[in-house]
Amino acid sequence: MAVKTMSTQSKRQHTVRITEPSVQQIIAKARAKTVRASSKGAWLLSGATALMLWASFTPLDWGPLGWIALVPLILLVRLEQRTYWMYGAIYTTSLINMLATLQWMRLGHQTMYPAWVALSIYVAMYLPVFVLLAHTAVHRFRVPLTLAVPVVWVGLEFVRAHLLTGFSWYYLAHTQYRWIELIQISDITGAYGVSFLVAMTSAALAGFLPKSLFARLKLLVPSAGPQPPDDAATTRRKIIAVAAGLTVFAVALSYGYVRRSQADFREGPRVALVQGNFTSEVKQDDTSSERIFFTHRNLTGAIVAHQPDLIVWPETMYRSPLYNVAPGVSDEELKAIAPPVKDLDLTAWVDLWRDRRTPRSLLDLSQEAGAPMIIGIDALEANREKFRHYNSAVFVHPQQGLLGRYDKLHRVPFGEFIPFRDTFPFLQKLTPFGDHQFGIAAGSKPIRFDDTTRGWSYAPLICFEDTVPHVVRRIVSSSAAASPEHKPVDCLVNLTNDGWFHGSSELDQHLITAVFRSVECRTPMVRAVNTGVSAYIDGDGVILEPDVFIDGDGKGRKSLVDPKTGRWHKQLNAALVHPIPLDNRSSLYVRWGDWFAGMCFAGVLLATCGTFAPRRKRAG
């Protein structure tokens, strides 16, 4: 009997051993059943990053927040298992941030509301994509957090600079424009290097926060229990990561001090900037053309006594177009090619094209001022194939007449051309212009304006071109190549019309973004801007106070900056005069281009492949 009992017990034990799952099977089953934490922590952290990013830029312009703005979001990168609604929370809060940040787009015209929303929807995608790709780099490829985060962030900034014609606004680097020594690294890496430093610092701070924080933020499933403290090896890795980040930061900052000490600025041409105050909707009203002209002419007269070497008018502020007809085009061909003008018969329209009154008027204006001028103007061209409309800048000399014309290379979607208009005609409605012939053509190449009588040279930029790193680099590089001695241009000249945005934060942010182009190319820049902010920027990225500031409204303003608020004056008629500090330094960024951002973009491609590549099943 005892033997039988033991036999039965043995069988039961044997049965248990057969049916009991192995440890590997239990783990595999747990992995198959995905359990996620609540979404509360994800909403809290992504919302905190969205709020701090918004506050880091204009209008608040709290730049120091840029160093910690990404920390909450990077905590989500540290999570091995995403929470409920994690990416949905990141995108939603990012969209709210972008709608608030880009609200100035809607101010020009009611038809710009759809464009404002569309751009916000697009740019908002970058934050969730950043978290997704950085998460892959950290948890699948085992890349250190302090390397993965800045590489992915900069790689995506590089994508944003090129995709859909590019949008190089609100880079993380732009929060640090006041820290002049720090941004000097831009002449090697472009502004992307400053973004890298700021993102790397945020990653080091986020990586040093304790694991217990995840439980308090409800980023872990309830069954996970209390998190054990970091072991010695983990703590050591965190310390090494912070030390490495501090070392890179110290090297970049030291480089900035050294590069600034190498500057030997010498006085160049005295450049006068003429700034009218006209909203773009008013500018489109032909009845205001005469008032626009005489306002700028009178402001020009006010600065003649200060003997400038160059006078600059803003973008399209000379309202009479510059007409050009190709040789051999007959009047009948011209009538068929060129679009007619309202209230003007075809004969008078052809006479207007044949007349050379605009070049003569420009010459008269330059002779009155006694100085060469760079003036923003619309240029119209007709040849046997087609009609073209350009957004242009012309260089006029008082003795030599019209010496050159630059046609804008980088056009603004929906503001200057309509992408895919032939395929999707309804897109015409997303512009303030109902004319089906709306749109400007792109220029063919950069142009260099040389004043041979005075020995100065200038490279013109129009509108938002001064916000795009690779466009300005190309213009500076090509302008130097066009010189027989390969002499770089003395000054960048930006002609801008920010009248669309009615004194909003766009005017401030546009100027801030332009600062980095001067550092990247080690070339000073002047900006003549309708409604403001017109400015002088040296090769270190310092915004200079002009020698002469003339308040065209007679309100007693004596400076670019309002002494009561510390903010730049906007929406005023003004004229400024200041000598250009010529920069003796060269730029590796001009020579090598976006090598640094390109390497980060390669990292983004690898992370993208890793994100969507199938995972290899583990044995057991």
Side-chain angles (χ1 to χ4, degrees):
M1 187 71 177
V3 174
K4 184 177 180 181
T5 302
M6 290 178 60
S7 176
T8 303
Q9 184 177 356
S10 177
K11 289 179 180 179
R12 288 174 180 170
Q13 290 174 348
H14 181 68
T15 303
V16 169
R17 284 196 295 270
I18 293 174
T19 58
E20 185 178 90
S22 66
V23 174
Q24 289 83 2
Q25 289 173 324
I26 294 173
I27 294 174
K29 185 177 180 181
R31 284 175 177 157
K33 183 180 179 182
T34 301
V35 180
R36 297 175 184 168
S38 70
S39 63
K40 181 179 179 181
W43 283 102
L44 180 64
L45 292 175
S46 58
T49 286
L51 180 61
M52 286 192 287
L53 281 176
W54 174 79
S56 298
F57 297 105
T58 55
L60 293 187
D61 199 15
W62 294 348
L65 275 180
W67 294 98
I68 61 172
L70 295 185
V71 171
L73 203 63
I74 297 171
L75 290 178
L76 298 179
V77 174
R78 284 183 58 186
L79 284 177
E80 290 195 25
Q81 177 62 54
R82 65 181 181 178
T83 71
Y84 281 111
W85 268 90
M86 188 169 96
Y87 291 108
I90 297 169
Y91 181 75
T92 302
T93 54
S94 178
L95 178 58
I96 294 171
N97 166 43
M98 293 317 304
L99 286 169
T101 300
L102 299 175
Q103 58 81 29
W104 45 263
M105 285 188 63
R106 64 187 171 84
L107 299 176
H109 196 272
Q110 61 268 23
T111 57
M112 293 302 291
Y113 276 77
W116 164 47
V117 174
L119 183 60
S120 299
I121 290 172
Y122 160 65
V123 179
M125 292 190 296
Y126 281 88
L127 278 189
V129 171
F130 158 71
V131 173
L132 176 66
L133 298 182
H135 188 275
T136 298
V138 170
H139 296 286
R140 189 163 186 182
F141 295 148
R142 302 301 175 188
V143 178
L145 189 70
T146 49
L147 180 60
V149 164
V151 165
V152 173
W153 185 271
V154 169
L156 290 176
E157 283 190 344
F158 183 70
V159 171
R160 186 150 59 87
H162 292 81
L163 192 62
L164 302 177
T165 75
F167 184 70
S168 301
W169 290 63
Y170 300 102
Y171 280 7
L172 205 53
H174 299 161
T175 63
Q176 304 305 311
Y177 74 97
R178 290 192 183 93
W179 198 342
I180 301 300
E181 287 75 22
L182 182 71
I183 67 175
Q184 300 308 304
I185 193 70
S186 299
D187 74 347
I188 297 178
T189 62
Y192 303 106
V194 182
S195 291
F196 188 96
L197 289 173
V198 178
M200 181 187 65
T201 302
S202 291
L205 293 173
F208 213 77
L209 294 175
K211 288 182 179 178
S212 59
L213 182 62
F214 294 110
R216 290 201 296 269
L217 290 170
K218 300 185 183 302
L219 294 171
L220 302 173
V221 294
S223 59
Q227 289 294 302
D230 292 335
D231 55 26
T234 302
T235 301
R236 185 165 55 251
R237 285 194 297 270
K238 289 182 176 181
I239 293 174
I240 291 173
V242 171
L246 288 173
T247 301
V248 173
F249 175 83
V251 169
L253 193 59
S254 299
Y255 174 83
Y257 279 99
V258 171
R259 284 298 272 168
R260 291 203 74 188
S261 69
Q262 293 172 340
D264 182 21
F265 295 130
R266 61 185 179 87
E267 186 170 308
R270 287 178 59 81
V271 177
L273 306 178
V274 178
Q275 174 185 302
N277 182 27
F278 297 93
T279 64
S280 288
E281 284 191 286
V282 169
K283 184 174 75 67
Q284 300 302 327
D285 181 1
D286 291 337
T287 61
S288 300
S289 295
E290 186 173 332
R291 183 162 60 92
I292 292 173
F293 172 78
F294 280 107
T295 296
H296 285 81
R297 184 173 179 269
N298 292 338
L299 289 170
T300 300
I303 58 179
V304 168
H306 299 280
Q307 299 183 322
D309 296 302
L310 177 72
I311 300 171
V312 186
W313 282 22
E315 174 190 10
T316 65
M317 285 297 107
Y318 194 91
R319 297 307 306 142
S320 297
L322 182 65
Y323 297 94
N324 289 280
V325 183
V329 176
S330 67
D331 290 353
E332 293 304 315
E333 289 173 323
L334 183 59
K335 291 177 182 178
I337 295 169
V341 174
K342 184 179 179 182
D343 300 328
L344 194 66
D345 63 70
L346 286 176
T347 301
W349 176 227
V350 169
D351 291 341
L352 191 60
W353 275 84
R354 301 293 187 188
D355 192 352
R356 300 292 295 169
R357 72 180 68 179
T358 298
R360 289 195 299 270
S361 297
L362 290 170
L363 175 60
D364 291 343
L365 189 63
S366 178
Q367 289 176 338
E368 285 180 4
M373 300 183 70
I374 297 178
I375 297 176
I377 192 171
D378 291 288
L380 308 180
E381 283 193 352
N383 56 38
R384 283 194 170 89
E385 286 76 33
K386 64 187 304 183
F387 160 83
R388 288 184 178 89
H389 177 190
Y390 295 100
N391 185 353
S392 304
V394 292
F395 183 47
V396 190
H397 195 278
Q399 285 84 44
Q400 299 169 314
L402 186 60
L403 293 180
R405 189 186 92 205
Y406 166 70
D407 301 324
K408 186 180 180 186
L409 299 171
H410 187 81
R411 299 171 297 169
V412 179
F414 300 104
E416 292 175 321
F417 81 106
I418 304 172
F420 314 115
R421 177 174 59 181
D422 294 338
T423 306
F424 306 106
F426 72 90
L427 292 174
Q428 182 73 47
K429 297 179 181 179
L430 297 182
T431 76
F433 310 98
D435 185 358
H436 72 281
Q437 297 187 16
F438 159 77
I440 67 168
S444 59
K445 62 179 180 179
I447 296 294
R448 175 188 178 111
F449 293 155
D450 286 305
D451 181 357
T452 56
T453 60
R454 289 170 168 82
W456 313 118
S457 59
Y458 311 96
L461 313 166
I462 297 178
C463 192
F464 288 170
E465 286 184 324
D466 64 342
T467 69
V468 189
H470 54 276
V471 169
V472 177
R473 174 193 167 268
R474 175 193 171 194
I475 289 173
V476 171
S477 179
S478 299
S479 298
S483 169
E485 303 85 13
H486 293 279
K487 179 181 179 293
V489 293
D490 295 306
C491 184
L492 295 166
V493 180
N494 177 233
L495 296 78
T496 292
N497 176 19
D498 279 345
W500 287 98
F501 310 112
H502 300 263
S504 68
S505 62
E506 184 276 345
L507 280 67
D508 309 83
Q509 193 62 41
H510 193 174
L511 173 58
I512 290 168
T513 306
V515 162
F516 287 83
R517 306 294 84 81
S518 290
V519 183
E520 288 167 350
C521 300
R522 291 301 177 194
T523 307
M525 181 190 297
V526 298
R527 304 181 70 244
V529 185
N530 175 39
T531 73
V533 178
S534 299
Y536 302 84
I537 308 170
D538 71 15
D540 279 339
V542 177
I543 301 169
L544 305 170
E545 184 64 37
D547 281 352
V548 178
F549 184 90
I550 299 173
D551 185 348
D553 298 324
K555 295 186 177 180
R557 290 169 287 211
K558 300 180 183 299
S559 167
L560 274 176
V561 179
D562 185 338
K564 295 180 181 178
T565 64
R567 304 273 183 170
W568 291 301
H569 286 302
K570 295 179 284 188
Q571 288 194 290
L572 72 158
N573 295 295
L576 300 74
V577 184
H578 193 74
I580 302 303
L582 301 180
D583 202 318
N584 63 305
R585 296 165 294 179
S586 59
S587 163
L588 290 178
Y589 178 74
V590 172
R591 188 182 306 171
W592 294 345
D594 287 317
W595 66 273
F596 180 77
M599 291 174 62
C600 293
F601 173 63
V604 165
L605 291 179
L606 289 174
T608 302
C609 294
T611 299
F612 296 103
R615 292 180 179 270
R616 185 180 301 174
K617 293 184 178 180
R618 298 187 183 185

